[in-house]
């Protein structure tokens, strides 16, 4: 079976597309690898030399760990990047106040608030970001990755869409009297089955496709969304090759 991709949304942070020829099982494998195995940088260790704020050291360290850090090419598992921060109140300490030792590993969003310092309060720290994966902690997760089965709508050619079905649809893609639906509107369907439940005589039926999905990737900023999928697919290919090699050895 051939595989085709139709891009629905492509921005620096999001990538959404129709994946024809791939069912939910394969899509879920890619999703799980993308979530858990793709490597990113995240702050792992924090040395706090001075903290006269009202917050505990652990509270601040936890916040630092959740700040997305741009992960440029060339890093491998276990690599580290140093960060430093030295601020005195009054004022808000932002993620952009973290100074990186590597230009290709900087904080993505400079305006994430970390803490508010009052007059005379100080915060002086050093931190180390580690290249790791989300199988160990969610802070290494590269983004939100999800999918849904492509919707298949069956509309009675004689009766068409009824008023009850039209009013029941929460995304307003059905029109009374119509006997078909545009591809653009179909791809907005969430398969909630409200139309089916409103069909008194089975005028409309909605079901998931077995070999077509709508895939969605929203990057947290460490890696572009397309690159997340590329790395996940390469990892799957590597895992499959290792399994095949082991399988051949055992067969012999």
């Amino acid at each position: 079976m051939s595989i085709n991709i139709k891009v629905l949304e492509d921005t620096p942070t999001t990538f959404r597309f129709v994946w024809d020829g791939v069912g939910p099982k394969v899509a879920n494998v890619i999703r799980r690898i993308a979530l858990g195995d793709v490597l990113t940088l995240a702050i792992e260790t924090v040395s706090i030399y001075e903290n006269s704020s009202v917050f505990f050291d652990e509270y601040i360290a936890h916040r630092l760990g959740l700040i997305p850090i741009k992960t440029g090419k060339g890093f491998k598992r276990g690599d580290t990047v140093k960060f430093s921060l030295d601020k005195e109140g009054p004022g808000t300490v932002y993620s952009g106040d973290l100074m990186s030792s590597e230009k290709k590993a900087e904080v993505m969003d400079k305006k994430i608030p970390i803490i508010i310092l009052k007059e005379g309060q100080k915060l002086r720290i050093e931190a180390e970001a580690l290249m790791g994966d989300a199988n160990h902690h969610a802070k290494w997760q590269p983004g939100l990755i999800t999918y849904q089965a492509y919707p298949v709508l069956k509309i009675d050619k004689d009766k068409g869409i009824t008023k009850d079905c039209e009013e029941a649809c929460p995304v307003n893609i059905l029109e009374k009297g119509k006997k078909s639906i545009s591809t653009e509107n179909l791809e907005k369907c969430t398969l909630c089955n409200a139309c089916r439940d409103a069909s008194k005589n089975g005028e409309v039926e909605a079901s998931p496709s077995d070999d077509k999905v709508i895939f969605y990737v929203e990057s947290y900023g460490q890696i572009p969304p397309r690159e997340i999928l590329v790395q996940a697919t390469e990892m799957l290919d590597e895992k499959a090759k290792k399994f095949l090699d082991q399988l051949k050895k055992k067969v012999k």
Side-chain angles (χ1 to χ4, degrees):
M1 180 181 292
S2 62
I3 294 177
N4 295 296
I5 288 177
K6 174 189 174 184
V7 177
L8 302 177
E9 182 181 359
D10 189 4
T11 73
T13 57
T14 60
F15 185 46
R16 181 170 172 262
F17 60 96
V18 175
W19 204 352
D20 193 2
V22 169
K25 294 178 181 178
V26 175
N28 193 45
V29 171
I30 296 293
R31 182 189 71 87
R32 289 176 67 91
I33 293 176
L35 285 173
D37 292 356
V38 171
L39 299 174
T40 65
L41 283 167
I43 290 177
E44 172 70 354
T45 58
V46 179
S47 299
I48 300 181
Y49 298 107
E50 187 173 6
N51 175 24
S52 54
S53 72
V54 297
F55 288 120
F56 295 117
D57 294 351
E58 293 84 355
Y59 185 91
I60 296 171
H62 180 265
R63 283 196 166 188
L64 294 175
L66 297 178
I67 295 173
I69 298 173
K70 181 181 178 181
T71 305
K73 294 183 178 181
F75 291 109
K76 60 181 183 298
R77 183 185 294 277
D79 284 352
T80 58
V81 176
K82 302 284 186 180
F83 285 85
S84 62
L85 187 151
D86 191 351
K87 292 287 289 185
E88 181 176 353
T92 302
V93 180
Y94 290 99
S95 54
D97 294 318
L98 283 165
M99 300 293 104
S100 173
S101 61
E102 291 275 356
K103 289 186 177 180
K104 61 179 180 179
E106 297 181 339
V107 170
M108 281 302 301
D109 189 342
K110 309 290 186 183
K111 289 297 183 179
I112 299 174
I114 299 173
I115 192 171
I116 297 175
L117 297 177
K118 298 298 184 182
E119 182 74 37
Q121 293 180 341
K122 296 180 180 180
L123 182 62
R124 185 165 61 91
I125 67 174
E126 287 184 356
E128 189 174 76
L130 176 70
M131 194 74 164
D133 63 58
N135 285 316
H136 296 86
H137 194 284
K139 64 184 178 182
W140 279 293
Q141 190 172 307
L144 172 68
I145 299 102
T146 185
Y147 70 91
Q148 73 164 64
Y150 195 87
V152 177
L153 255 63
K154 294 182 179 179
I155 302 173
D156 189 297
K157 296 299 182 183
D158 297 322
K159 302 175 183 177
I161 297 170
T162 64
K163 183 178 180 182
D164 289 337
C165 292
E166 178 186 25
E167 293 177 347
C169 179
V171 290
N172 300 316
I173 60 174
L174 301 178
E175 187 177 346
K176 178 186 174 183
K178 296 287 185 178
K179 298 180 181 179
S180 63
I181 181 173
S182 68
T183 301
E184 182 181 356
N185 280 339
L186 182 60
E187 288 164 357
K188 297 177 183 177
C189 175
T190 61
L191 288 172
C192 67
N193 280 318
C195 58
R196 183 198 62 188
D197 297 338
S199 298
K200 297 177 180 178
N201 298 299
E203 295 88 356
V204 179
E205 290 184 7
S207 60
S209 172
D210 293 329
D211 59 359
K212 197 174 184 180
V213 299
I214 299 175
F215 208 93
Y216 178 76
V217 181
E218 181 180 342
S219 171
Y220 293 151
Q222 306 99 312
I223 305 172
R226 280 180 180 250
E227 183 62 23
I228 292 173
L229 284 180
V230 169
Q231 290 189 28
T233 306
E234 289 175 348
M235 287 178 173
L236 176 60
D237 183 53
E238 184 179 350
K239 289 175 185 287
K241 287 178 179 178
K242 287 181 178 179
F243 173 71
L244 184 59
D245 290 341
Q246 290 293 319
L247 190 61
K248 289 180 177 178
K249 291 177 181 179
K250 296 296 182 182
V251 171
K252 290 180 180 179

